[in-house]
Every structure is written in C-alpha cells, then in structure tokens.
Amino acid sequence: MTQSAQQSEICDDSLLKFEVPEIIHGHGALSKIGQCAKRLGGECVLVVTDPGIIEVGWLDETLKYLEKEDLKYVVYDNVVTNPRDFQVEEGVGLYLAKKCDVIVAVGGGSPIDTAKGIAILASNHGCISDYEGCNQVVHPIPPMVCAPTTAGTGADVTQFAVITNSQRKMKMTILSRAIMPDISLVDPLVLQTKSPELIAATGMDTFTHALEAYVSSLSWPLTDPHAIHSIELVAKHLVNAFRYRTIESLEGMSIASLEAGIAFSNAILGAVHALAHPVGGLYDIHHGIANSILLPAVVRENLEHSIEKYAQVTAAMGVDTSKMTSRQAAYRLLEEIENLTADLGLPAKFSSLGIGPDDIPLMAGLAQQDICMLTNPCRYELEEIEQLYREAL
Ligand SMILES: [Fe+2]
C-alpha cells in the first residue's frame, strides 16, 4: 500500500472519528474476565499471555475466573517483548485446532498485540504481513477481551498492533478499525507485580502516546482532553509509581495509559513512534525505552510546528507557564522530559545500549514509510530523519 493511499485511508475527506471499546475499570476488574468472555458468546477461550504473567500468578487467577463460568480454554504463552510473526502463526494454529471462539489477552502490549494478530488471521487467513498498513483487515475478528497488566501500551483500547517480521527484522504496524478489542478490563491491582524498570519504560511509552496524539495533525476535541489529562497523570504519578508502587500512583498510571491509548487510537501518533519502530525491530530493545531516547531530538525539531500545543503540554506537566511566552513554555518541555527520564533512571542515548550509526540509513528509510509519520506536526526529509537518529546516539 503506498503512503498516499494510507494517508487517504487515515485522513478520509477530513472526517474525524472516535472509537473506544467497553472499559471496566477498578480494583478486582480482572475477576470479570470469565463473565465478559461468556457475554461475548464464547464457549472455548484462547488465552494469550507470556511467561512473566504466569510467574506472578495472573494466569492462574484468570483461569479460575474462566472455570467459574464453565468455559473451556487453551493457553498460548510463547510471547516475547516485540512479538514475532511466527508467534502469531503458532497462536492461530492453536485457536483453529482447538475450535476456540473467543480470545482473551492477559499481559502487556506484547500479548495483546499477539492476540490481535491471532484474531486477524483467525478470520482473515493468510500471513500477518498481508495486513500491514492501514485498514487492510476486512473481516471482523473474533470477540476479544483484554486485561492489560502494564499500564503503558494502551493496546487494549487501540486499533493498532505492532508485530515484528522476524526475517526482515522489521516491525510491521497494523492499523485497522476491525482490530479494536471488545472489552478492556483495567485492574490497577494487577500492576502491583510490575518491576520498577517496566513501570519506567511503559510509563514513557504512555507519555509518548499522549504527547504525540496531542500534537498530531488528526487531534481533535474528542482526543485532546484525554491526551492532556494523560500527560497530567503521568507528571503526577509516574515517578511515584516507579519509586514506591503505591496503589494511588498505579491507579493514576492505569488511567493515564487508558486515556493515552484512547487518544492515540483515534488521533494516531508521530515521528517518535515512526523512528522507534525500526530500532525495536533491529535491536529488540524495549519500545518504551526507544521512545524515551528519541523524544528529546524529535520534540526539539517538532516544536516550531505546534508551539501553542507544546506550551500547553509543559503546563500540563505542572510547570507554571503564566509568565512565559508560548515559545518559552514550549521549549521548557525539553528540560521537563530530560528531568523525567533522569528521575526514572532511563538511558539518554542509544550508544549506551550498544547501538551505533551503521544502520541509520536503513532505519531512516523505514521510519519515513511508517504510518505514524503521516500525522506528525511536520514532514521530514530522509536526511533530517538520519540527523534525528544521530542526535539520539
Ligand atoms: Fe507506543
């Protein structure tokens, strides 16, 4: 699909849209997972999760609730960070062999994106790479319930899935109305088992979602309030969640992730994500860390194209901007981002992760073609994208 065809799919005649799944939020929300699967007509559930979730006990908890509703189930748990195409194929093989009729995803973005990939192939067939790009999924997917455990990706409320093409070592972005889950069960208690490192990385993913959605060329009055409120919540709760994992801070981050997901599913993202996807595909580093490292370089270049909105983001982060010009307030955001990532102990540059300049031309080419680039506040030439990567080294 050409980039101009994708652009017309995303920005169809200047019409805007807003779509969210049913959301059940609160302490104990996970306990509704069996009832939800049953309510969607399920009799045999494919549960998609990962080994980390099994280790901390959330799979056992989920299965207990499925059994309570007399549901049959089968578990697919061979999921890793940056999920691969062959895992989607394994999962759909299991779904079809066991004659499942509903999918339940328990975990972070990786199990949820894998579940979306499985759902696509279960009803649309072929290879997952056939569905890369915008609105390539034609047939409705099976009913799907998500129980997010990371408060970061927002994948439980979005029409995005990102799957790595294992042969080409390239992330494929799938954006399609048809892959929105039916129900999201957001239970802050589930976040208590997250490690501080994961809280930091996924928290920065949330922040990047909210920021990019807020300045996106497709932002509008139904997405902006969620994006800006998410930024306020991140500023208030992320460092506390990282340091102390208090229930209040985890609950705040669960809403932040949810609202950022709602905002970016409908307003799409920007250059940070476009540049982060090739880094994740080639080097397999955590998506939130890739975003975090790229944020300062991209924001610095984007600022002049959306001064007022970046100034509003600075204010949402708790800075008194009343005596600043909009430009001063917007540029102050760079300092705030730097302070936030330092407080979270995240790496500031790719070189500290062993990433050098060799793949920059390849990554820049991929980033320029990424769907997320279409809604960035400005367009970048290839050389400018290469320069952004160099600044993040
Ligand atoms: Fe993201």
Side-chain angles (χ1 to χ4, degrees), residues 193-209:
T193 52
K194 276 179 78 176
S195 68
E197 293 75 22
L198 197 57
I199 289 172
T202 56
M204 286 308 291
D205 190 25
T206 287
F207 177 73
T208 312
H209 292 156

Side-chain angles (χ1 to χ4, degrees), residues 50-59:
D50 66 32
I53 297 299
I54 296 174
E55 196 181 322
V56 293
W58 296 123
L59 177 65

Side-chain angles (χ1 to χ4, degrees), residues 153 205 208-209 264 269 273 277 287 291:
T153 65
D205 190 25
T208 312
H209 292 156
F264 93 77
L269 292 160
H273 273 78
H277 289 152
H287 170 65
N291 282 338

Side-chain angles (χ1 to χ4, degrees), residues 27-86:
H27 297 187
L30 182 65
S31 68
K32 303 293 177 193
I33 204 158
Q35 290 171 29
C36 288
K38 199 167 192 174
R39 177 151 63 83
L40 293 173
E43 292 180 2
C44 183
V45 182
L46 177 72
V47 183
V48 183
T49 190
D50 66 32
I53 297 299
I54 296 174
E55 196 181 322
V56 293
W58 296 123
L59 177 65
D60 284 346
E61 191 82 358
T62 299
L63 299 182
K64 187 177 80 184
Y65 298 126
L66 298 181
E67 285 164 6
K68 203 172 164 191
E69 298 297 324
D70 295 323
L71 290 161
K72 290 183 284 183
Y73 57 78
V74 55
V75 177
Y76 179 70
D77 62 8
N78 184 27
V79 176
V80 293
T81 302
N82 299 318
R84 314 296 201 272
D85 43 11
F86 61 84

Side-chain angles (χ1 to χ4, degrees), residues 11 16-18 210-225 227 263-264 266-269 306 309 312 375 377:
C11 317
L16 295 161
K17 66 161 192 65
F18 191 78
L211 177 61
E212 296 212 289
Y214 194 60
V215 300
S216 157
S217 58
L218 281 185
S219 66
W220 66 300
L222 285 192
T223 57
D224 278 352
F264 93 77
N266 292 287
I268 322 294
L269 292 160
S306 192
K309 279 203 147 176
Q312 288 159 9
T375 46

